[in-house]
Amino acid sequence: MSEQYFPHLAAFVSQFLVKAYARKLGHSHVWCPEWYRHFEAMCRLDALWRSWEYLRQDGDTGMSMWWRDHADHHMTFLLDPDGPFGPCRREHSEYPIADLPLIDPPEGLFEDEREPIAVSA
């Protein structure tokens, strides 16, 4: 794999995504200019960036696949009025949205599946 085109997520968002995915904002589309303050947005945008870096190298259908399978999918959720930017109308809002409810599973139900890290002596 060749080197990345964008040095980091913020460069991808500011130099490419907001230009390539421009939309009229209002009731049907919401974007937060402080997107990096939303955990879900950071996760989805990072996935968009990394998939773009990978698929840009496919000169045949890579970008078409990226738009269809990645950009349109994630941006639909991000720009939705009920999505992570929903409370942010024209500027960031600290509107508190609670995590999904959760009850911890019983102790021992799940085992750590990570590979042990080898320690050099």
Side-chain angles (χ1 to χ4, degrees), residues 27-102:
H27 296 292
S28 62
H29 296 96
V30 181
W31 173 261
C32 181
E34 295 181 69
W35 54 269
Y36 46 84
R37 296 179 71 182
H38 298 269
F39 183 72
E40 179 184 354
M42 287 281 290
C43 293
R44 287 181 179 275
L45 292 170
D46 187 67
L48 280 179
W49 169 48
R50 293 177 189 284
S51 62
W52 184 90
E53 291 286 358
Y54 180 79
L55 289 170
R56 75 180 176 84
Q57 298 175 61
D58 176 349
D60 296 324
T61 60
M63 284 294 90
S64 180
M65 289 172 52
W66 181 80
W67 281 101
R68 182 194 68 205
D69 297 340
H70 301 276
D72 289 343
H73 174 78
H74 289 294
M75 293 302 287
T76 296
F77 287 98
L78 287 172
L79 297 174
D80 188 278
D82 290 328
F85 302 143
C88 303
R89 305 290 174 159
R90 298 181 192 197
E91 61 185 34
H92 178 74
S93 172
E94 286 297 332
Y95 183 79
I97 298 174
D99 293 347
L100 295 174
L102 180 67

